[in-house]
Amino acid sequence: NGSADWIADRHDLIVTTFHHLAEVSEAFASQIEKVVGVDTRLAPETLLGIARRTRGRVGLVCTLAKTGRMLQHIILSYQPRCQIELALIDAADDVRRVAQTCDHLLVTHNCLEALEALTDRRADVVIEFRIDDQSVTFLRERISLLRRRTAAGQAPAVGV
C-alpha cells in the first residue's frame, strides 16, 4: 500500500488501538515493526452514563460498524433488556431517524460535532475512550528506546 508506506517512512511508530490492530498491521505489513497496539477502555463516566439509562430504546451513533458492534455488546452487558439501534454518522438519514425515535442517544466523541449539525437532539452519553495505564507505560518505554537508539546513531525502528 503506497500511502501506508509513505506514512510509515515518515514516522518512527504507528500507534493504534487493539480494536484496530489487525487492519493497521495489514496496511503497514511492510513496516510491521513500527506498529504498536494500545489497549483502550471506555471512560468511567461513559460506563456510568450507560449504566444509568433505564428506558428500552437506545440509539447509538458512531463511525464504524465494527465499533458499533463492540459498543452494542458493552451496552447490553449493562442494560440486557434494551433495544439498540445503530446509526453510522455517514448515514445522515439513519442518524436523524435514530435521534428522533430513541429514548436515549449515545454517541462516540468523534461524532458529536456531526450529530449536532444533523439534529437538534443532544447526546445523553458521549462515549469516551481512555488508554489503559499499562499501554501508556509500554508506549513511553518504546518511545524512550527509540530516542536512545536515535541518539546513538542507530536506526530508530525497533521490533517488539
Side-chain angles (χ1 to χ4, degrees), residues 1 6 8 10 17 28 31 50 58-59 65 67 72 74 85 90 96 101-102 122 127 143 147 158:
N1 180 336
W6 184 87
R10 284 155 182 77
T17 64
F28 290 95
Q31 298 189 51
I50 291 169
V58 173
T67 302
Q72 285 174 321
I74 293 171
E85 178 125 17
D90 290 338
R96 286 186 196 98
T101 61
C102 67
R122 293 190 55 188
I127 299 170
I143 291 168
R147 287 180 178 159
V158 292

Side-chain angles (χ1 to χ4, degrees), residues 9-119:
D9 288 344
R10 284 155 182 77
H11 296 84
D12 295 328
L13 292 176
I14 307 299
V15 181
T16 186
T17 64
F18 287 164
H19 187 69
H20 297 290
L21 187 59
E23 299 102 311
V24 172
S25 294
E26 186 176 321
F28 290 95
S30 67
Q31 298 189 51
I32 191 69
E33 72 280 355
K34 292 184 175 184
V35 176
V36 176
V38 295
D39 186 19
T40 56
R41 309 284 170 108
L42 290 180
E45 308 83 47
T46 297
L47 294 172
L48 180 60
I50 291 169
R52 286 191 168 154
R53 301 306 115 195
T54 58
R55 293 186 298 266
R57 293 183 45 85
V58 173
L60 173 61
V61 178
C62 62
T63 53
L64 301 171
K66 179 179 178 179
T67 302
R69 285 190 301 275
M70 180 266 301
L71 291 170
Q72 285 174 321
H73 289 291
I74 293 171
I75 293 165
L76 286 170
S77 73
Y78 283 78
Q79 300 293 343
R81 291 185 302 269
C82 78
Q83 297 174 324
I84 303 170
E85 178 125 17
L86 174 63
L88 301 182
I89 197 65
D90 290 338
D93 290 340
D94 291 344
V95 171
R96 286 186 196 98
R97 181 182 41 75
V98 166
Q100 291 172 353
T101 61
C102 67
D103 296 315
H104 302 292
L105 185 60
L106 285 63
V107 60
T108 54
H109 65 94
N110 57 334
C111 295
L112 188 58
E113 189 175 309
L115 174 74
E116 291 171 352
L118 290 170
T119 179

